[in-house]
Amino acid sequence: MPTLFSIIVEPGFFTSEPVRTAAVIGAAAAIVSGVVGVFTVIRGQSFAGHSLADVSSAGGSAAFLFGINPLLGFLGMGVLAAMSMELVRADHASERDLVTGVVTGAGLGVAALFLYLDMTTSSTTGAAVTIMFGSMFAIPASIVPLALTVGISALLAVGLLYRPLLLSSLDPDLAAVRGVPVRLIGLLHLIVVAMAVALSAITVGAILSTGLLIGPAAIALHLAKRPGLAILLAAAIGIAATWGGILIAYDSYEWTGGHGWPVSFCIVALIFLAYVVVAQTGLRHWRLLPRVVSARTQRAG
């Protein structure tokens, strides 16, 4: 007689090498995206995060074209785009959005060129789908050490920047008064975001990596009263959605007669459903965060 566990988890799930690789790299991407995503949402830079993910697709396309590690391609182009967006001086929000939009357009244009050259010179037809929407069960195990190195580096960077990054995210003017180099912190934050989207891009794809970066962070900020708790919640929600998505996609091969659903779709669908539930049930503490700003302002006065 089949047990509940055997119904939920199809045979071979825990012994499959592609599943283990997807689970490890997916967890790394979820943790880093959740931690960095909280600061990205607080700073109102969701569009910049999405832009970095789009531009990094040019690096992924170049990696396919020249036969290099795709993570290095996503990471290199993402960091270059982050530096371009922050170093072009833009003091107003509308100006920053303009710069971000221009950089995004240029990056996507380069991605289109590399994908065209890849298809015409090597007759590769699946590169565009893999780069834009991911293919987690096809990730080679050899990429795990580099992915973990990038993930740990990003978390260490956030740990070192935590206090000035949090203060400059909540109140840039107060941070500047206290001597925090706001512009440098902003640049370092975008570079860490580029590391997060590079990890997400090799899992759920460049386009859908925004869902992993912003979704869990937005849910956590609805639930948490303090930024530190929001960071832990965002990482936990990201891991739960990633591993849940991998399980659903693996099981779907049984339901669909061997075709299966894309892992990236399952992950972002779980994140979307969780966000809808939290938003509709009134579990919101996001408005409590401004109290942190108020308290810091009063102490500074």
Side-chain angles (χ1 to χ4, degrees):
M1 177 181 291
T3 63
L4 178 61
F5 182 81
S6 65
I7 294 174
I8 296 175
V9 181
E10 291 294 332
F13 179 78
F14 293 106
T15 58
S16 170
E17 180 65 29
V19 168
R20 284 202 295 266
T21 303
V24 172
I25 296 183
I31 292 172
V32 177
S33 296
V35 172
V36 178
V38 169
F39 292 103
T40 304
V41 173
I42 293 175
R43 295 171 69 89
Q45 290 187 309
S46 298
F47 178 51
H50 176 71
S51 175
L52 287 177
D54 287 348
V55 175
S56 70
S57 65
S61 306
F64 267 85
L65 180 62
F66 299 112
I68 61 177
N69 189 311
L71 179 55
L72 291 177
F74 282 118
L75 181 61
M77 189 60 72
V79 170
L80 184 63
M83 295 177 67
S84 301
M85 286 191 288
E86 188 60 32
L87 292 179
V88 174
R89 182 165 291 278
D91 296 325
H92 302 290
S94 58
E95 236 180 313
R96 288 196 294 271
D97 284 348
L98 182 65
V99 172
T100 301
V102 171
V103 172
T104 302
L108 288 174
V110 174
L113 172 64
F114 286 155
L115 286 174
Y116 171 79
L117 293 175
D118 187 50
M119 287 187 292
T120 54
T121 58
S122 64
S123 300
T124 302
T125 57
V129 174
T130 300
I131 292 167
M132 296 299 180
F133 302 104
S135 183
M136 289 188 75
F137 289 154
I139 299 174
S142 59
I143 207 172
V144 170
L146 178 59
L148 294 180
T149 301
V150 172
I152 292 171
S153 300
L155 293 178
L156 287 175
V158 173
L160 292 173
L161 295 172
Y162 183 79
R163 292 183 66 83
L165 177 58
L166 181 60
L167 181 56
S168 64
S169 300
L170 293 170
D171 192 332
D173 294 333
L174 175 59
V177 169
R178 290 197 165 189
V180 174
V182 176
R183 197 169 187 85
L184 175 61
I185 293 296
L187 170 61
L188 296 175
H189 169 255
L190 280 183
I191 290 175
V192 178
V193 173
M195 298 169 75
V197 298
L199 285 172
S200 298
I202 62 170
T203 54
V204 297
I207 289 179
L208 298 182
S209 64
T210 307
L212 203 55
L213 177 70
I214 303 301
I219 297 169
L221 286 169
H222 272 300
L223 298 173
K225 296 181 179 180
R226 301 180 65 83
L229 179 58
I231 290 172
L232 294 177
L233 276 176
I237 293 168
I239 292 176
T242 301
W243 286 354
I246 291 173
L247 175 61
I248 293 172
Y250 182 84
D251 286 358
S252 69
Y253 281 93
E254 181 68 20
W255 311 332
T256 60
H259 296 292
W261 293 348
V263 185
S264 52
F265 160 74
C266 297
I267 293 173
V268 296
L270 289 175
I271 293 173
F272 175 75
L273 289 174
Y275 182 80
V276 169
V277 169
V278 170
Q280 294 301 317
T281 53
L283 298 173
R284 301 177 183 180
H285 293 293
W286 163 243
R287 290 173 183 162
L288 296 178
L289 269 180
R291 295 181 182 178
V292 178
V293 180
S294 176
R296 290 178 183 278
T297 305
Q298 290 175 3
R299 286 199 297 271

